[in-house]
Amino acid sequence: MSGEAAGRAAHADTPAPAAPSGAARSGLATHEPSLAAFVGYFLRLGAFGFGGPIALTGAMQRDLVVARGWISEEDYLQGLALAQLAPGPLAAQLAIYLGWVRAGIAGATLVAVAFVLPSLLMVIALSWGYVQLGGMGWIRGAFYGVAPAAVALIARGAVRLARLSLGRDPLRWAVFVVSAGVTAMTSRESPALVIASGFLVWAARSRPRRPMLAAVPWLGALTTGLHGVAAPATLLGILGYFATAGSLVFGSGLAIVPYLHGGVVLTHHWLTERQFLDAVAVAMITPGPVVITVAFIGYLVAGLAGALLAAVGVFLPCYLLVVLPAPLFRRHAGAGAIAHFVSGVTAAATGAIAGAVIVLGRQALVDVPAAGIALGATALPFVTKRIPDPVLIVLAGLAGWLIARGG
C-alpha cells in the first residue's frame, strides 16, 4: 500500500502528520536503532504519554519519523491505516505495527508489553486503593467531582474526533447521527451498526472489482474484588467479554466506553453506573492507552486476576489483528476500498462516543454542583490551552472533595 493511499485511510481519525525531511520522506528510515532503544521509547511513551489516541499517534510520528528517523513515513502511514481498519485501540495497534516493522513478531510483542505495562501497573495500584479505601468519604467526594469532568473530556474527545474524521461529508455525518442516537437510546453501542456503517460508506463510494480482502487463578487473594472472591465462571466471563470488546470496537480508545457500559453495567451487572464512571475517570488520569480502563473494571470485579485477564482479553485481539495481517496488508491493501470502509466505521464509532456522553451524563450530572464541574472542565481548556487532562481530572476531584466536605 502506498504512503499516499495509506494516508487517506489514516486521516479518517488522525491529523495529517508533519512532513518529514530528508530520507524519511523517501519512504526509508534514516537510522536503525537498537531493539532495546526502540522498545525503551515505547516504555517511556506508555509511562508519560497523555492526551488520548490522537496525541499518542502524533507523538510517534513526531519522535520516530521526524526527529529520530527510526521509522519511514510510508511505514508510519501504513500502520495508521491498518490500525484504523482493524478493531481495537488505535494507538496500541499503531505501536504494535511499528514494532513489527522494526523487528517482526519479537518487536511487536516487546513493544506491546512496553507500551501497555506502565499504565497497567498504575491502574492496578489505583484499583487496589479504590477497593481498600472506597468506603471513605474523601474517596466518594473526589469521584463525585471526577465523574462529571470525565464526561466533559469524553465529550471534548467526541467533538475533536468528529472534526477530524467527518469533515463536510453528509453521508458520514448521517452515520454519526444515527449511531449517536442509537447509543443514547439503548445505552449501549451496536458493533453490528458500526461494521454495517463501514460497508455502507464503502458501497456508496466504491466500485469494488473483487471482495474486500489462562489458567484460572484459584487463590482467593488474587481474585477478590468489591464483592468478595470471584467464581471461576466470572473470571472466564471477564476474559471472554473483554476479548470480544477488543475484537469488535473500532477506532479511538474512547470508542470502547459505550460498548463497555452496555456489557459491564447493563448486561453482566458487574459494576454500578457510578463505579463505571469511576473506571473511566481512572483511565483519564493515567498515561498510555485509554482502553486500560478495562483493568480497573476487572480488578473491581475479581481482583488482580480480573485486572490481568481483562487486560489480556482486550489487548490480545488487537495484537493478533495487527501482527497476522501485517505482511499481506503491506503488499496488497486495496487503498480506495479500505479508505471508504474505514471512514464509515470511524463515523459510526465517533457517533457512539457522542451517544455515550448522553448516557454517562445522565448518571454523572446529578445536581447543580456536578453540572458546574462538568461545565468548568469543558471551558477551562479554552482558557488555559496547555492544561493536561490528568491535571484537569485532579482539579475536578479536589473540587468534588471540597463540595462533599462542605455539604
Side-chain angles (χ1 to χ4, degrees):
M1 183 177 186
S2 69
E4 179 184 357
R8 288 198 298 270
H11 290 169
D13 192 41
T14 308
S21 60
R25 186 182 290 111
S26 69
L28 298 174
T30 56
H31 298 89
E32 181 82 1
S34 68
L35 183 56
F38 196 78
V39 172
Y41 167 80
F42 283 98
L43 186 65
R44 290 190 297 275
L45 184 63
F48 302 106
F50 291 95
I54 294 175
L56 293 174
T57 55
M60 293 179 213
Q61 190 273 340
R62 181 192 65 230
D63 298 338
L64 300 179
V65 178
V66 178
R68 292 174 172 84
W70 288 357
I71 292 292
S72 71
E73 179 187 17
E74 183 174 1
D75 283 334
Y76 174 83
L77 293 175
Q78 287 180 349
L80 273 175
L82 179 57
Q84 288 189 317
L85 178 61
L90 180 71
Q93 287 175 309
L94 175 59
I96 291 168
Y97 182 84
L98 297 182
W100 177 83
V101 168
R102 171 60 187 83
I105 298 295
T109 304
L110 290 173
V111 163
V113 173
F115 186 55
V116 173
L117 187 60
S119 56
L120 175 62
L121 294 177
M122 293 179 201
V123 168
I124 288 175
L126 288 170
S127 305
W128 178 86
Y130 185 92
V131 171
Q132 298 299 317
L133 307 175
M136 295 179 64
W138 71 270
I139 288 285
R140 292 196 303 272
F143 275 102
Y144 166 83
V146 163
V151 172
L153 292 181
I154 295 172
R156 197 175 72 193
V159 171
R160 185 166 56 236
L161 285 173
R163 286 176 177 172
L164 291 170
S165 62
L166 305 182
R168 297 183 178 179
D169 186 338
L171 178 58
R172 282 184 282 174
W173 275 105
V175 169
F176 168 88
V177 170
V178 170
S179 179
V182 169
T183 303
M185 288 187 293
T186 63
S187 298
R188 65 184 75 207
E189 181 189 24
S190 169
L193 177 60
V194 172
I195 295 172
S197 299
F199 281 110
L200 172 65
V201 177
W202 166 68
R205 299 286 161 76
S206 300
R207 293 180 180 177
R209 288 170 289 195
R210 58 180 181 269
M212 290 180 64
L213 299 177
V216 179
W218 54 268
L219 294 176
L222 298 179
T223 60
T224 301
L226 285 174
H227 307 295
V229 178
T234 300
L235 295 171
L236 292 176
I238 290 172
L239 179 62
Y241 175 74
F242 289 109
T244 302
S247 302
L248 296 178
V249 177
F250 290 82
S252 160
L254 288 176
I256 204 171
V257 171
Y259 183 87
L260 291 181
H261 178 268
V264 170
V265 177
L266 302 180
T267 301
H268 295 287
H269 305 290
W270 285 333
L271 300 184
T272 65
E273 296 278 3
R274 174 59 58 176
Q275 289 164 350
F276 181 79
L277 280 170
D278 294 346
V280 174
V282 165
M284 296 291 186
I285 65 174
T286 52
V290 175
V291 76
I292 201 63
T293 188
V294 302
F296 186 87
I297 295 171
Y299 194 102
L300 298 193
V301 178
L304 179 60
L308 297 178
L309 287 172
V312 169
V314 82
F315 284 107
L316 183 60
C318 82
Y319 170 84
L320 295 176
L321 289 169
V322 169
V323 170
L324 296 180
L328 184 64
F329 178 84
R330 209 172 186 192
R331 291 194 300 268
H332 303 298
I338 285 180
H340 295 316
F341 179 81
V342 169
S343 69
V345 163
T346 302
T350 305
I353 296 171
V357 172
I358 299 173
V359 175
L360 298 176
R362 296 188 196 120
Q363 307 301 324
L365 308 183
V366 294
D367 51 28
V368 173
I373 291 173
L375 183 61
T378 302
L380 191 57
F382 293 98
V383 178
T384 308
K385 294 184 180 297
R386 295 184 177 275
I387 185 169
D389 288 349
V391 173
L392 195 62
I393 290 289
V394 170
L395 292 175
L398 178 60
W401 175 75
L402 290 174
I403 291 171
R405 187 181 181 186

